[in-house]
Amino acid sequence: LQEEGGLRYPDVLLDLAFAAYGAGELDVTRRLADRLTGGEDGWSAGLFGARRALMLRAGLAVLEGDFGLAETLLSKLAPHGEPGATVDVWRRLARCLLRTMSGRLRGVGAELAHVLADARRLAVPETSALAGAVEARWRVVNGDPTPPLNPYPHEQRARPDLRRFLRFERAYLD
């Protein structure tokens, strides 16, 4: 694909990036996602595939501890998610997670309550799994070890990496 130049096959690159991510090949994932989200030949964030690539790259930035980059990537998503729609809810959940991880806790509780309600209403597997993980992290940070009474709708149908993240975060509540 590299010989073909730029983003001649962006959907294929995105599929490869997610496959590499699922296989734990984070360096390959980063290179592919960077090709999709940056530079002159990067996709416009207004395109669905580009939004997924930005979400993937933001997730990688969090894993790598580069919260500044994650914040920058999330800000690129902001204009492309209608309030309460999947991209908007995912972005807001990711921002709450970033703020919780970086210790910027002021106002997170109120913001998180709203976005968790939106995630429950949406019932999208990936967003539900992220919501459950962020809620668990928030409970641990606040010293509330009680697990949520109700799992999020369809959270167990999310991608394997998000299900693992959900299980990992909820393990602290047991």
Side-chain angles (χ1 to χ4, degrees), residues 89-123:
V89 172
W90 189 93
R91 181 189 59 79
R92 290 167 42 218
L93 284 166
R95 287 210 55 217
C96 287
L97 176 63
L98 275 176
R99 290 178 58 197
T100 302
M101 293 174 83
S102 64
R104 296 178 294 140
L105 304 178
R106 180 177 290 165
V108 172
E111 183 179 347
L112 188 57
H114 292 293
V115 73
L116 290 176
D118 285 344
R120 195 169 289 285
R121 177 189 52 75
L122 276 177

